[in-house]
Amino acid sequence: MEQTLSIIKPDGVKKGLTGKIILMFEENGFEIKAIKKVQLTKKEAEEFYYVHKDRPFFDSLISFMTEGAIVPMVLSAESAISKNREIMGATNPKDAKEGTIRKMFAESIERNIVHGSDSPESSKSEISFFFNILEIL
Ligand code: CMP
């Protein structure tokens, strides 16, 4: 079994989509190994998205990710990383397939409801950013 980090972003939480998104993960065979609700500080969001620090959208992304609570969770399944990315859909909702989370709920490429790790390396570091080993069951 592989693990990946999913985050329901501030737009998803504000729109009351937390339960619906968790249900989609469970119905698609994911086990929720850990979950919490937190609000990131600017410093924490900058650390989490450090790889994007030189992108033109970085400041706007940090402001969005700190505007409200988020729900990070550890998902487990076979090929969890790629499976989660399929269920989320493309980063830009305009390019996302029908039935994906972003196609159904996202407003824009930035306010795109969910985040998912994109590789085994990022999954490992993103999971440990939010959860310690005792919190993953
Ligand atoms: P995420 O999967 O969390 O990874 C980085 C985030 O940056 C992405 O989802 C979007 O929220 C945001 N993002 C990516 N590309 C753009 C863009 N071109 N303009 C604005 N925001 C973007």
Side-chain angles (χ1 to χ4, degrees), residues 24-63:
M24 281 179 76
F25 288 139
E26 290 191 325
E27 285 180 345
N28 279 281
F30 285 100
E31 186 185 341
I32 315 287
K33 305 284 281 183
I35 186 163
K36 59 172 73 162
K37 189 174 192 178
V38 291
Q39 181 154 3
L40 293 177
T41 63
K42 185 168 182 277
K43 196 166 163 248
E44 288 164 343
E46 285 171 349
E47 189 187 334
F48 184 79
Y49 278 120
Y50 186 75
V51 290
H52 296 302
K53 68 182 188 327
D54 296 325
R55 301 285 193 97
F57 57 81
F58 185 68
D59 288 348
S60 171
L61 174 63
I62 298 310
S63 155

Side-chain angles (χ1 to χ4, degrees), residues 3 91 109 124 129-130:
Q3 292 186 353
T91 306
I109 191 166
K124 201 162 174 247
F129 183 90
F130 286 103

Side-chain angles (χ1 to χ4, degrees), residues 5-22:
L5 183 86
S6 167
I7 304 175
I8 305 176
K9 298 184 179 185
D11 53 342
V13 173
K14 277 184 201 159
K15 287 179 175 173
L17 294 171
T18 303
K20 213 171 262 184
I21 291 169
I22 292 171

Side-chain angles (χ1 to χ4, degrees), residues 23-133:
L23 186 64
M24 281 179 76
F25 288 139
E26 290 191 325
E27 285 180 345
N28 279 281
F30 285 100
E31 186 185 341
I32 315 287
K33 305 284 281 183
I35 186 163
K36 59 172 73 162
K37 189 174 192 178
V38 291
Q39 181 154 3
L40 293 177
T41 63
K42 185 168 182 277
K43 196 166 163 248
E44 288 164 343
E46 285 171 349
E47 189 187 334
F48 184 79
Y49 278 120
Y50 186 75
V51 290
H52 296 302
K53 68 182 188 327
D54 296 325
R55 301 285 193 97
F57 57 81
F58 185 68
D59 288 348
S60 171
L61 174 63
I62 298 310
S63 155
F64 163 50
M65 287 302 290
T66 55
E67 74 179 30
I70 61 171
V71 177
M73 63 191 117
V74 178
L75 303 177
S76 169
E78 236 172 77
S79 306
I81 296 169
S82 58
K83 194 169 164 180
N84 181 35
R85 292 177 74 78
E86 262 175 49
I87 294 167
M88 288 193 298
T91 306
N92 189 341
K94 286 186 190 138
D95 303 327
K97 287 190 192 146
E98 287 301 330
T100 61
I101 294 172
R102 286 167 170 163
K103 181 70 177 185
M104 288 193 285
F105 305 122
E107 282 165 37
S108 68
I109 191 166
E110 178 175 273
R111 302 180 74 84
N112 63 357
I113 305 282
V114 276
H115 167 82
S117 308
D118 64 4
S119 66
E121 297 70 37
S122 67
S123 160
K124 201 162 174 247
S125 66
E126 290 179 0
I127 287 171
S128 63
F129 183 90
F130 286 103
F131 298 97
N132 72 48
I133 196 147

